[in-house]
Amino acid sequence: MPSNSAGIYISLLIVALTIYSVRLAPFLFLRKPITNRWFKSFLYYVPYVTLAVMTFPAILTATGNLAAGAAALIVGLLVAWFWGDLFAVACSCCAAVFLVQWIF
């Protein structure tokens, strides 16, 4: 079966140009400093929201038990809110998963 190497290279070129144009667009269109307070605050929270969107489904499905994942999420939020220590959050979430899976 002959390979279509030209098609693969054209596809790679299209993907590379698309990614490059997305990364280049802010440099071309945002030459002045951003002065709009709403837009600046929006851009400030984008990394946090992106991290939350990527992490949230993994928290619920990592154990294979939805109840254990939900318990870890709730316990982790509470410990983070009151203590704010990352090590305490990780340990308490692991303990919550262990307890829920031990009970159910």
Side-chain angles (χ1 to χ4, degrees), residues 1-103:
M1 180 168 147
S3 65
N4 188 2
S5 62
I8 292 173
Y9 288 122
I10 291 172
S11 299
L12 287 174
L13 180 66
I14 291 171
V15 169
L17 289 174
T18 304
I19 291 172
Y20 184 71
S21 64
V22 167
R23 292 178 184 256
L24 184 66
F27 293 112
L28 294 176
F29 299 119
L30 299 175
R31 293 180 184 234
K32 302 184 289 186
I34 299 170
T35 57
N36 187 342
R37 288 179 60 194
W38 182 86
F39 193 63
K40 283 176 82 170
S41 67
F42 172 77
L43 290 177
Y44 177 79
Y45 289 109
V46 166
Y48 302 109
V49 171
T50 306
L51 180 64
V53 167
M54 292 187 310
T55 307
F56 182 74
I59 292 171
L60 295 176
T61 59
T63 63
N65 184 351
L66 186 61
L73 177 66
I74 292 168
V75 168
L77 287 173
L78 290 174
V79 172
W81 182 265
F82 290 111
W83 286 280
D85 183 22
L86 184 60
F87 185 71
V89 170
C91 289
S92 62
C93 288
C94 291
V97 168
F98 177 74
L99 287 174
V100 170
Q101 287 189 342
W102 183 62
I103 291 171

